[in-house]
């Protein structure tokens, strides 16, 4: 039987099976992560090997270092995930891997690793969009969450407001016209001399600062779009001026002011869109959804507008393998599996 025919026959059997357990691998940036997820909802194992220490020295992710570190870590995280799940490779029903967007070399290591495994095991391989993975992290935390909902996707590379009318279906409501929210946090952190990755550092420092210390202008954008480069420049100019005057920088106040400006913009737009589009349910996804103020303010605003809010647990907001395994399950149910031609797609879009 042709290889792909054999795989598709296995896929149709899996769709009838009571439980489906997927082994997933995520290597799109600086985390080598593997997981085993059952039925898209239940985490049996979730292993994240962070490369932060390797990149911190350079103040950001160095693509070549990331690829090499993924090559070394892939086998280890997969073995560890299987060990935690109490399973062997043969027990896995299907495999999943992030195929984009991300760093091409980093993606390629994961794609090659899982293609090799899938071929050797003659099991279906599901290619997953990284952003779709982030959105699916909500399904792992909330067993009752089902589409339709509106989702604010805020990561290091993306800021989107999307409608999710069904599993794996997305409609664009708004997006950033320049920087992503995470990128803006990272740049502001760098201006304050905070080490990489800056988002979580700003968030921590901001807890002790005064958000009213510095007023940052809200950009004029149309519809439900976002823009962060103006805020970032205003912040940089204000910090430069203070530095020229001498004396210590009030870093906590500056961090709190920047965080407040970004968060109130994110929340106001998303809640306004939900009202206009008559959405009853809001979700959040991506690394920035771990931000403490964003979580508090979004909850307050949703409560005030009668919106139900879902957010992934904090550990599932940033890159992990489990979110890829969740998204993969819903793709498998729609026969969306890869051929051996699968390649990394660094600029893959969500929609
Ligand atoms: O989703 P993610 O892990 O990777 C991408 O797909 O980009 O997001 C990483 C981004 C980084 O920019 C990081 O600074 C930001 O998320 N981030 C945060 C927080 N935790 C992570 N930004 C603000 N506050 C946080 N607590
Ligand atoms: Zn991510």
């Amino acid at each position: 039987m042709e290889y792909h025919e054999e795989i598709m026959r296995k896929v149709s059997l899996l769709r009838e099976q009571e439980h489906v357990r997927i082994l997933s691998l995520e290597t799109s940036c600086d985390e080598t992560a593997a997981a085993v997820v059952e039925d898209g909802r239940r985490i049996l194992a979730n292993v994240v090997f962070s490369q932060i220490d390797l990149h911190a020295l350079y103040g950001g992710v160095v693509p070549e270092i990331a690829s090499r570190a993924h090559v070394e870590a892939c086998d280890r995280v997969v073995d560890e995930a299987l060990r935690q799940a109490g399973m062997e490779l043969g027990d896995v029903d299907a495999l999943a891997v992030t195929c984009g967007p991300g760093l091409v070399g980093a993606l390629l290591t994961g794609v090659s690793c899982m293609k090799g495994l899938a071929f050797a095991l003659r099991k279906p391989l599901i290619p997953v969009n990284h952003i779709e993975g982030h959105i699916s992290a909500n399904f792992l935390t909330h067993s009752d969450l089902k589409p339709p909902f509106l989702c604010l996707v805020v990561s290091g590379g993306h800021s989107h407001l999307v409608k999710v009318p069904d599993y794996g279906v997305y409609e664009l409501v708004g997006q950033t016209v320049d920087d992503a929210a995470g990128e803006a946090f990272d740049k502001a952190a760098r201006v304050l001399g905070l080490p990489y990755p800056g988002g979580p550092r700003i968030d921590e420092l901001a807890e002790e600062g005064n958000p009213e210390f510095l007023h940052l202008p809200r950009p004029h954008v149309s519809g439900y779009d976002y823009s962060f480069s103006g805020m970032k420049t205003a912040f940089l100019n204000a910090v430069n001026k203070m530095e020229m005057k001498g004396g210590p920088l009030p870093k906590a106040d500056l961090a709190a002011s920047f965080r407040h400006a970004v968060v109130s913009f994110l929340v106001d737009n998303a809640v306004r869109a939900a009202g206009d589009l008559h959405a009853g349910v809001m979700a959040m996804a991506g690394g920035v959804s771990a931000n403490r103020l964003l979580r508090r303010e979004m909850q307050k605003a949703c409560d005030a507008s009668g919106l139900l809010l879902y957010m992934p647990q904090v550990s599932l907001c940033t890159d992990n393998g489990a979110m890829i395994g969740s998204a993969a399950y819903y793709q498998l149910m729609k026969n969306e599996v890869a051929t051996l031609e699968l390649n990394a797609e660094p600029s893959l879009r969500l929609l």
Side-chain angles (χ1 to χ4, degrees):
M1 199 189 298
E2 275 285 315
Y3 178 75
H4 197 64
E5 223 177 283
E6 178 189 334
I7 293 297
M8 291 318 288
R9 193 176 49 82
K10 288 185 176 168
V11 168
S12 49
L13 290 175
L14 283 180
R15 291 178 53 195
E16 305 300 317
Q17 202 168 293
E18 191 182 355
H19 295 296
V20 176
R21 294 187 293 182
I22 297 178
L23 170 68
S24 52
L25 182 64
E26 150 64 41
T27 65
S28 68
C29 190
D30 59 347
E31 257 99 28
T32 321
V36 181
V37 173
E38 189 174 77
D39 304 332
R41 296 278 176 166
R42 205 159 80 85
I43 299 177
L44 303 184
N46 192 27
V47 180
V48 181
F49 169 71
S50 168
Q51 301 178 2
I52 282 178
D53 294 348
L54 300 177
H55 301 286
L57 188 64
Y58 306 96
V61 179
V62 183
E64 182 60 23
I65 293 178
S67 311
R68 284 166 193 263
H70 284 310
V71 171
E72 283 172 16
C74 274
D75 285 357
R76 273 190 289 131
V77 294
V78 164
D79 285 350
E80 180 57 18
L82 289 169
R83 195 191 64 75
Q84 282 185 14
M87 290 164 64
E88 304 206 346
L89 265 180
D91 304 328
V92 164
D93 293 311
L95 302 140
V97 67
T98 308
C99 60
L103 301 169
V104 66
L107 289 165
L108 263 176
T109 59
V111 168
S112 312
C113 171
M114 290 311 246
K115 257 166 82 167
L117 268 185
F119 187 62
L121 296 165
R122 299 186 91 80
K123 299 205 179 205
L125 174 62
I126 304 144
V128 176
N129 180 310
H130 180 79
I131 308 300
E132 198 162 353
H134 274 303
I135 296 172
S136 303
N138 286 287
F139 299 135
L140 296 167
T141 304
H142 307 284
S143 54
D144 60 325
L145 175 64
K146 291 185 175 73
F149 55 86
L150 193 65
C151 189
L152 174 66
V153 186
V154 271
S155 72
H158 301 85
S159 292
H160 283 130
L161 196 54
V162 291
K163 235 161 90 172
V164 185
D166 199 355
Y167 293 105
V169 182
Y170 307 98
E171 290 168 18
L172 186 67
V173 173
Q175 62 184 330
T176 180
V177 297
D178 41 56
D179 295 350
E183 205 178 345
F185 272 119
D186 292 340
K187 286 181 184 162
R190 199 184 276 225
V191 170
L192 294 181
L194 303 173
Y196 164 85
R201 312 274 179 157
I202 289 241
D203 194 17
E204 238 169 72
L205 198 57
E207 290 289 296
E208 286 132 46
N210 170 16
E212 311 286 329
F213 176 77
L214 175 70
H215 173 76
L216 292 165
R218 176 159 309 183
H220 296 285
V221 274
S222 62
Y224 310 106
D225 280 347
Y226 288 109
S227 163
F228 297 102
S229 79
M231 264 181 207
K232 184 189 67 193
T233 308
F235 185 74
L236 176 67
N237 289 341
V239 172
N240 280 346
K241 257 192 217 155
M242 279 180 223
E243 272 175 338
M244 278 193 287
K245 279 192 194 148
L249 276 181
K251 287 191 183 180
D253 293 338
L254 287 165
S257 302
F258 188 78
R259 183 179 71 161
H260 168 73
V262 171
V263 165
S264 58
F265 188 21
L266 288 174
V267 171
D268 292 353
N269 244 10
V271 172
R272 185 168 52 88
D276 294 349
L277 300 171
H278 308 292
V281 182
M282 174 86 79
M284 292 205 291
V288 179
S289 60
N291 188 274
R292 296 174 225 193
L293 185 70
L294 178 58
R295 296 173 81 89
R296 293 197 293 264
E297 292 298 311
M298 190 63 99
Q299 189 68 64
K300 262 197 245 163
C302 286
D303 289 348
S305 319
L307 278 163
L308 206 55
L309 174 65
Y310 291 87
M311 334 180 228
Q313 68 198 63
V314 170
S315 61
L316 295 178
C317 289
T318 44
D319 293 350
N320 63 84
M323 66 186 200
I324 302 303
S326 172
Y329 174 79
Y330 294 101
Q331 287 181 228
L332 183 72
M333 292 300 124
K334 292 198 263 182
N335 286 337
E336 288 173 16
V337 292
T339 65
L340 288 176
E341 251 73 305
L342 178 69
N343 206 347
E345 286 187 63
S347 314
L348 185 66
R349 294 170 62 92
L350 180 67
L351 66 184

